[in-house]
Amino acid sequence: MTLTSPSGSSVTEAENFLAANPDVEAFDIILHDANGIGRGKIIRRHELLSFYKNGRHLPISILGLDICGEDVHETGLIWDQGDGDLRAWPIPGTLKRLHNTNPPRGEVFMSMYELDGAKMTSDPRHALQRQVDGLAAEGLYPAGAFELEFFLLANDRDGNGRVQPARDVLDGRKSAKTEVYSVDHLHGMLPLFSDIYKGAELAGITAETMISEYAPGQYELTLHYRTDVMQAADDLMRLKRIVRAQARAHGVTACFMAKPNEDYAGSGMHFHVSMMDKSGTNVFVEATEGQWNETILHALGGLRATMGESMLVFAPHANSWRRFASQSYAPVSPTWGVNNRSVALRIPAGDIRARRIEHRPAGVDANPYLVAATVLAGIRHGLKHKIDPGPETTGNGYAGGEDAPVIPDDWRSAISAAKQSDFLKDALGEDMHRTFTAIKAAEYARVMRTVSEVDYDLYLHTV
């Protein structure tokens, strides 16, 4: 029996893809959980049409897993509901061919629905769509793009057991220096970068500038702006898979930890966002350049006011909090400023028509669907309540300010703030909020009961 897809997917899309790609033998079907981890199955070619016609049964518990893939019973998604099946459906437009696979494979993103077709509201995609729909009801349409920072590491550790930068895939040259903005340094990774760009092209992603970043082995890849922020989040998720797969093919490891090396800056996932009205006009654009209008100021005010209770979304893991060290190019206070990389909320310099807010707190380990949902909710909050963002920060934003709203100092405090936040509950939806905070609490407990090497180093022969 063919069902009506609640995601809007069409069997015709699958039929056309199969006709155009007769050599593709299998497909990764991917659902993203609260941590942004792709979970699902690999299906064979002959199964694709059935997936598009009828969806695919998956256990509800797939959205209640921690970072290790263990059940988190406090989410209410495991035995409270008998770990029954729900139905996942393909997302229109996400069926793509994968580059450099042998035998050839494709992939498609999917989203979870109840058996009656209602949205399963612990699915991060639905949390973002809820905020997009809320803005549309207010006559506003967000556009944006994420930046992707990552490390390319050697597959083996150094003599001290620490990760080390990958050798150039072209000639095997090794550099342990900070080659920031070095073009020549990029040349050694060109074969890998070429495969990343080819993979992005097949996926319909306009990947743009590649930069050698502020730590040995660290790079940044920028993405083309999207008028649909859901597409922007999809781009980021898909590009991480592309980078990871192509790095593996070239014998190195792509690392998306927020802070893999304590001596250098970590990796962020800056989110650039602007807001259009029904006519397509960017409502953040000021009438006179540099004289900010109330809309962008209130948006900044909302983001600043809600940042503290939202930090768990932007820094969801234990390692995330190692990134927030002063003068490490990661914001440590909810400040805003213009053309200033030491603030959390930056108005970039450039063409006035492209006026936007660069939201800088999130690490690359965060879930872009939840980051975007929370940022959009913060903007809506600021616009609704006409929140004044306070004075612009000039100079060193790491110094913070006496009037700056409080943000958590550590992961545990962030979990507590998120659990108690009515704003975040509204931003993510009650079910997604419960699921996300329960998973984070379970992960915190796992980390705290683990005895690490640093414990032995500090205490074994000391206390």
Side-chain angles (χ1 to χ4, degrees):
M1 178 179 67
T2 302
L3 305 175
T4 300
S5 169
S7 71
S9 59
S10 166
V11 176
T12 302
E13 179 181 1
E15 291 173 338
N16 290 341
F17 183 94
L18 291 173
N21 297 274
D23 58 331
V24 171
E25 295 186 9
F27 297 88
D28 299 354
I29 60 173
I30 303 160
L31 175 78
H32 293 103
D33 69 7
N35 278 315
I37 295 174
R39 303 193 187 275
K41 301 181 179 185
I42 299 178
I43 62 172
R44 306 303 296 172
R45 179 184 178 90
H46 70 271
E47 297 179 273
L48 185 68
L49 289 182
S50 175
F51 177 40
Y52 271 77
K53 291 176 181 176
N54 304 306
R56 189 85 179 201
H57 283 114
L58 289 173
I60 191 173
S61 58
I62 199 171
L63 290 173
L65 305 177
D66 68 8
I67 194 72
C68 298
E70 299 285 349
D71 291 340
V72 178
H73 296 279
E74 292 79 5
T75 61
L77 302 180
I78 318 298
W79 298 122
D80 288 5
Q81 302 193 39
D83 196 18
D85 279 347
L86 298 183
R87 199 185 302 269
W89 289 90
I91 304 302
T94 65
L95 178 57
K96 305 293 182 181
R97 185 184 179 104
L98 293 173
H99 174 62
N100 205 19
T101 53
N102 185 27
R105 291 200 331 277
E107 72 175 7
V108 60
F109 288 177
M110 54 185 174
S111 198
M112 190 76 91
Y113 293 82
E114 305 286 350
L115 296 180
D116 64 1
K119 292 178 179 178
M120 197 285 169
T121 47
S122 288
D123 184 326
R125 288 184 64 96
H126 295 321
L128 175 52
Q129 190 62 54
R130 183 168 168 269
Q131 290 301 325
V132 171
D133 292 344
L135 281 165
E138 297 160 9
L140 294 172
Y141 305 88
F146 289 93
E147 296 176 8
L148 179 66
E149 294 180 356
F150 59 95
F151 282 80
L152 294 176
L153 303 176
N155 291 337
D156 55 336
R157 306 285 182 88
D158 67 14
N160 296 315
R162 297 182 178 181
V163 296
Q164 56 184 332
R167 293 181 179 274
D168 291 350
V169 299
L170 187 62
D171 56 16
R173 187 175 73 89
K174 180 180 180 180
S175 174
K177 298 185 296 182
T178 300
E179 306 270 10
V180 61
Y181 282 92
S182 169
V183 176
D184 288 344
H185 177 65
L186 295 174
H187 292 170
M189 290 292 183
L190 280 181
L192 168 54
F193 295 154
S194 293
D195 275 330
I196 290 172
Y197 281 116
K198 288 175 184 175
E201 182 179 1
L202 274 181
I205 298 171
T206 305
E208 298 183 328
T209 305
M210 182 72 73
I211 301 167
S212 179
E213 266 287 359
Y214 284 88
Q218 187 185 33
Y219 302 88
E220 179 188 294
L221 186 57
T222 60
L223 292 165
H224 190 68
Y225 222 64
R226 293 284 196 179
T227 56
D228 177 355
V229 295
M230 184 71 78
Q231 184 70 65
D234 284 345
D235 284 352
L236 195 286
M237 283 298 203
R238 197 183 297 272
L239 193 58
K240 286 178 74 172
R241 284 177 54 80
I242 291 169
V243 171
R244 183 177 283 117
Q246 300 313 314
R248 180 180 293 176
H250 284 272
V252 301
T253 297
C255 173
F256 300 106
M257 289 173 63
K259 186 79 167 177
N261 189 321
E262 66 261 32
D263 296 326
Y264 295 97
S267 293
M269 188 179 70
H270 303 161
F271 179 38
H272 295 251
V273 60
S274 53
M275 201 70 63
M276 309 300 168
D277 63 16
K278 291 180 179 178
S279 68
T281 300
N282 184 355
V283 298
F284 285 168
V285 175
E286 64 271 24
T288 302
E289 187 167 1
Q291 296 182 13
W292 316 116
N293 65 32
E294 287 190 347
T295 304
I296 197 169
L297 289 175
H298 292 156
L300 289 165
L303 291 171
R304 190 167 181 256
T306 59
M307 190 175 296
E309 55 202 300
S310 304
M311 280 304 298
L312 186 63
V313 173
F314 310 140
H317 307 293
N319 179 259
S320 308
W321 291 86
R322 306 193 195 285
R323 175 172 161 259
F324 296 105
S326 182
Q327 301 182 32
S328 63
Y329 290 93
V332 294
S333 182
T335 50
W336 76 276
V338 182
N339 195 24
N340 185 339
R341 285 184 171 84
S342 67
V343 298
L345 304 167
R346 173 177 176 250
I347 299 179
D351 189 340
I352 188 174
R353 294 171 296 179
R355 188 64 71 217
R356 64 194 185 276
I357 296 170
E358 179 186 3
H359 185 274
R360 297 173 58 82
V364 75
D365 55 343
N367 183 330
Y369 299 112
L370 299 185
V371 169
T374 305
V375 168
L376 295 184
I379 291 173
R380 292 179 68 195
H381 180 76
L383 297 180
K384 178 180 179 180
H385 298 285
K386 301 185 185 303
I387 298 176
D388 185 337
E392 172 192 345
T393 295
T394 57
N396 184 5
Y398 295 117
E402 293 182 0
D403 65 334
V406 176
I407 65 172
D409 293 324
D410 53 37
W411 192 29
R412 180 182 181 181
S413 300
I415 293 171
S416 178
K419 281 186 172 182
Q420 297 171 35
S421 172
D422 290 334
F423 163 77
L424 196 60
K425 185 178 292 185
D426 182 64
L428 303 181
E430 187 172 346
D431 291 338
M432 186 73 250
H433 176 267
R434 182 193 66 250
T435 298
F436 180 66
T437 56
I439 287 170
K440 294 296 108 183
E443 290 173 357
Y444 176 81
R446 176 189 290 271
V447 170
M448 290 307 295
R449 67 174 177 260
T450 300
V451 181
S452 68
E453 281 300 319
V454 73
D455 288 283
Y456 295 124
D457 183 52
L458 291 175
Y459 309 121
L460 180 61
H461 300 291
T462 307
V463 295

